[in-house]
Amino acid sequence: MDVASNYTGHVEPGGAAARRELADLTITKLSVGPMDNNAYLLVCNTTRDALLVDAANDPERIEDLIGHDRNRPRLRTIVTTHQHPDHWQALGAVAGANGANTIAHPLDAEPLPVPPDVLVEHGDKIQVGECELEVIHLRGHTPGSIALLYRDPQGHPHLFTGDSLFPGGVGRTTSPENFTSLLNDVQSRLFDVLPDDTWFYPGHGDDSTLGEQKPQIDEWRERGW
């Protein structure tokens, strides 16, 4: 698989993956499936243990991303950010092929095709080799939607938001109450406590930073979506 090293946060459906090298963690983004879902492969640079955020679709492409030679990373964990089917079409195939543990929030576990091996709540920690991710529960897009936060000790934070936060707004909700819940969580658990240079990686489309999106929060609340 082609992998671009000049990371911009943009990948094309069916196109090359994009890789970002941090001091302790490597992040590779890949667009999969007909809905342009993002799958993120996180690899600890020390242990070569790996975690996949959303085995959304195209299991063959995900396996190509992991690699097939003896030096490929060991996929230990797959985290599903929420229960919507476009985010878990390849979950069973990829988990089975790699013997990976699967993780989700209990409120979104039932619809998944593979019962999660581990259930996580807000504030829990997930290991990727020697690196650590923090679980942030964002209620509204689905009951159990979660984001994953990596606090890079030598740089800015990195945040994987699923479908709860995109450039230009929060994720789709099905009622005014769910919208208010999601926006309140996004504001109080992300924007109010993380620095502006936090780079976030959504479930579809391009990346952004919290600082770039922060001025729009009042507009999102007023428009109601």
Side-chain angles (χ1 to χ4, degrees):
M1 173 175 290
D2 292 335
V3 180
S5 58
N6 56 331
Y7 191 88
T8 65
H10 177 78
V11 290
E12 292 285 345
R19 180 162 295 154
R20 182 174 223 167
E21 297 274 359
L22 308 180
D24 300 320
L25 187 73
T26 296
I27 300 167
T28 310
K29 178 177 183 175
L30 180 69
S31 173
V32 296
M35 297 183 70
D36 187 18
N37 285 75
N38 294 324
Y40 298 95
L41 183 67
L42 281 53
V43 180
C44 171
N45 294 338
T46 300
T47 67
R48 299 290 290 163
D49 288 345
L51 176 147
L52 182 70
V53 181
D54 285 343
N57 211 314
D58 293 342
E60 297 86 0
R61 295 194 76 217
I62 292 174
E63 290 295 338
D64 287 345
L65 179 64
I66 297 168
H68 301 284
D69 60 29
R70 298 177 64 181
N71 296 321
R72 68 184 182 275
R74 295 172 295 275
L75 184 63
R76 303 289 196 192
T77 308
I78 303 173
V79 178
T80 302
T81 58
H82 62 288
Q83 64 176 265
H84 287 157
D86 60 308
H87 288 260
W88 48 254
Q89 292 297 309
L91 180 60
V94 177
N98 293 274
N101 285 326
T102 61
I103 294 179
H105 191 280
L107 294 178
D108 273 18
E110 185 175 353
L112 302 183
V114 177
D117 298 301
V118 179
L119 298 174
V120 290
E121 301 278 0
H122 180 68
D124 285 348
K125 303 297 193 298
I126 301 172
Q127 292 299 128
V128 189
E130 296 182 0
C131 301
E132 186 176 80
L133 304 176
E134 178 182 338
V135 176
I136 302 175
H137 187 195
L138 301 172
R139 301 157 290 188
H141 180 65
T142 64
S145 288
I146 57 174
L148 301 173
L149 175 65
Y150 172 62
R151 300 181 186 269
D152 184 0
Q154 300 188 43
H156 56 76
H158 297 260
L159 179 68
F160 301 86
T161 57
D163 283 2
S164 291
L165 177 65
F166 297 96
V170 296
R172 179 180 59 85
T173 54
T174 56
S175 71
E177 293 77 16
N178 286 343
F179 169 76
T180 299
S181 173
L182 178 56
L183 188 56
N184 286 348
D185 274 0
V186 164
Q187 183 160 9
S188 65
R189 295 182 173 185
L190 302 182
F191 286 100
D192 288 353
V193 295
L194 296 174
D196 286 352
D197 63 357
T198 301
W199 187 285
F200 73 87
Y201 306 76
H204 306 262
D206 293 351
D207 306 350
S208 186
T209 64
L210 293 186
E212 184 176 3
Q213 302 301 314
K214 183 180 289 187
Q216 305 176 50
I217 295 175
D218 290 342
E219 176 189 338
W220 300 346
R221 194 176 294 277
E222 183 175 350
R223 78 188 184 192
W225 56 272

